[in-house]
Amino acid sequence: MAKVYRVNEAFDHGLLSGASCAFGVFDGVHRGHRFLIDEAKKTAAECGGPSAVLTFDIDPDERFHADRLKKLMTNERRIEALAQTGVDFVAVLPFTPAFAAQAPLDFLATTFGESFPAALHVGCDFHFGAKAAGQVDDLRAWADERGVRIFAHDLKSAFDKPITATRIRLLLAEGRCEDAVELLGHPYAFEGVVAQGRGEGSDMGFCTANIELAPMMRALGEGVYAAWATVSGVRYKAAMSMGTAPTFAEATATSEVHILDFEGSIYGETIAVEPVHYLRPMVEFDSVESLIAEVQANIAWVRENL
Ligand SMILES: Cc1cc2nc3c(=O)[nH]c(=O)nc-3n(C[C@H](O)[C@H](O)[C@H](O)COP(=O)(O)O)c2cc1C
Ligand SMILES: Nc1ncnc2c1ncn2[C@@H]1O[C@H](COP(=O)(O)OP(=O)(O)O)[C@@H](O)[C@H]1O
């Protein structure tokens, strides 16, 4: 796992000198992102300097479009995943309001100081600085004067369309887990702390771990899914719902997860849930009996098919 540096007063900007950096947010660390990062690794091998990912501590959209942002990963998971791509280090820039408000050239000056990388790899749609006003041409003009090579890559495509985080978010919103995973190149998972629910699951014959997700982390569309749940490092089959149970007026959990062949109290623990197949929409049942019958059928499906 690569070393992760926070770019604060203690950060040695000299680390960036001669490095080949992939620069971006990289939510999802999807196949397009990995292609860009691999290209940075290649120029690093050619130039002899280190390979690096340069990213931000938060997704800039969290600052500007928090109301409509649906993230594929938490910032912690994103930075961890970037550190596992095989680069030598990850440098994490603090996307503070002051940092974000800088004009494009000031933004580059703050980011690099006098330590210029050998190469910067970005997507051809890369924007930087206040109001995202800086474009690839501005980056090239800045780089030419400083001996930095700019590689602005066309976005990697799958099924004739560019792979983007937005496209993957739309697939998840439609419950199309398999398609989202294909573009991600790795499983999609969300994480949450198990909270106390209404205590009815066990009476119904299936315990459910209730998970509250911040609105930003609700990329997956409402519905019932076959999933894998990881509890204390062990992966179990699971049947899960996404969306507040419409049958119960007082229900509040964003997601409820029945973990097959698992017993024990996990209140307060963080579990990771990996939805893999959409089963059906959430239903407002007329009776608890019909809810139980349907959920038991979903659990049986998971047992047989996962
Ligand atoms: C696989 C699965 C499917 C579910 N489907 C529905 C549904 O269609 N409609 C609904 O109102 N609740 C649904 N639920 C939520 C249950 O109603 C809820 O888990 C149960 O009432 C227990 O709630 P509690 O854990 O808060 O006590 C589902 C739960 C699971 C695990
Ligand atoms: N197989 C299981 N799947 C999910 N949670 C389980 C399971 N076995 C035990 N649990 C525990 O039981 C709790 C759920 O019980 P439940 O009766 O549905 O109450 P609650 O309404 O608090 O979720 C979970 O939060 C977890 O601590």
Side-chain angles (χ1 to χ4, degrees):
M1 180 120 124
K3 179 113 179 83
V4 176
Y5 297 99
R6 300 276 158 180
V7 181
N8 52 26
E9 303 75 48
F11 178 69
D12 172 12
H13 274 80
L15 278 169
L16 295 172
S17 280
S20 281
C21 305
F23 193 4
V25 184
F26 304 124
D27 182 34
V29 194
H30 59 57
R31 280 171 46 200
H33 297 148
R34 280 170 195 264
F35 164 75
L36 207 79
I37 293 166
D38 284 345
E39 290 297 307
K41 288 197 272 184
K42 277 188 207 161
T43 47
E46 284 161 24
C47 305
S51 59
V53 171
L54 196 53
T55 190
F56 304 107
D57 57 349
I58 62 165
D59 188 321
D61 281 345
E62 276 174 61
R63 210 161 279 305
F64 302 118
H65 307 292
D67 49 332
R68 57 172 199 255
L69 177 63
K70 300 287 177 206
K71 299 198 323 171
L72 299 173
M73 284 177 168
T74 60
N75 297 315
E76 295 72 31
R77 267 299 299 143
R78 175 172 59 86
I79 290 162
E80 197 180 301
L82 289 170
Q84 288 167 340
T85 55
V87 288
D88 293 313
F89 68 91
V90 178
V92 183
L93 299 158
F95 200 78
T96 60
F99 184 79
Q102 296 179 101
L105 288 178
D106 296 334
F107 179 99
L108 294 174
T110 310
T111 300
F112 298 104
E114 291 301 314
S115 304
F116 303 118
L120 278 179
H121 292 261
V122 295
C124 57
D125 57 350
F126 183 73
H127 285 77
F128 59 99
K131 301 197 168 65
Q135 300 189 4
V136 168
D137 284 347
D138 304 309
L139 186 63
R140 282 195 198 285
W142 173 90
D144 283 350
E145 290 171 12
R146 292 163 178 84
V148 182
R149 289 161 75 197
I150 299 297
F151 295 83
H153 298 278
D154 286 340
L155 304 188
K156 191 161 182 65
S157 284
F159 310 111
D160 296 329
K161 276 195 281 178
I163 301 171
T164 63
T166 305
R167 184 174 168 203
I168 298 171
R169 290 170 186 148
L170 287 172
L171 290 170
L172 287 173
E174 290 174 6
R176 294 167 60 186
C177 308
E178 290 91 340
D179 294 336
V181 167
E182 170 69 32
L183 300 192
L184 276 169
H186 59 83
Y188 166 74
F190 61 86
E191 286 173 6
V193 176
V194 179
Q196 208 89 26
R198 290 164 301 117
E200 287 185 20
S202 47
D203 296 341
M204 293 181 185
F206 55 90
C207 285
T208 57
N210 296 9
I211 297 177
E212 298 291 352
L213 288 175
M216 221 177 263
M217 297 315 299
R218 297 179 199 168
L220 187 69
E222 281 205 8
V224 176
Y225 295 83
W228 294 96
T230 303
V231 185
S232 311
V234 183
R235 209 156 166 261
Y236 300 89
K237 292 180 181 182
M240 55 147 291
S241 64
M242 177 58 79
T244 317
T247 309
F248 303 94
E250 66 285 14
T252 56
T254 320
S255 175
E256 307 220 16
V257 188
H258 172 75
I259 308 161
L260 276 70
D261 305 321
F262 175 83
E263 276 177 47
S265 173
I266 45 170
Y267 289 124
E269 286 188 33
T270 299
I271 66 169
V273 185
E274 197 187 303
V276 289
H277 182 68
Y278 178 87
L279 295 173
R280 64 171 173 89
M282 287 290 267
V283 175
E284 185 174 347
F285 289 97
D286 298 339
S287 69
V288 173
E289 289 69 34
S290 35
L291 167 78
I292 295 173
E294 186 60 41
V295 175
Q296 293 294 10
N298 298 142
I299 294 170
W301 190 95
V302 169
R303 184 176 295 289
E304 267 177 43
N305 295 285
L306 231 59

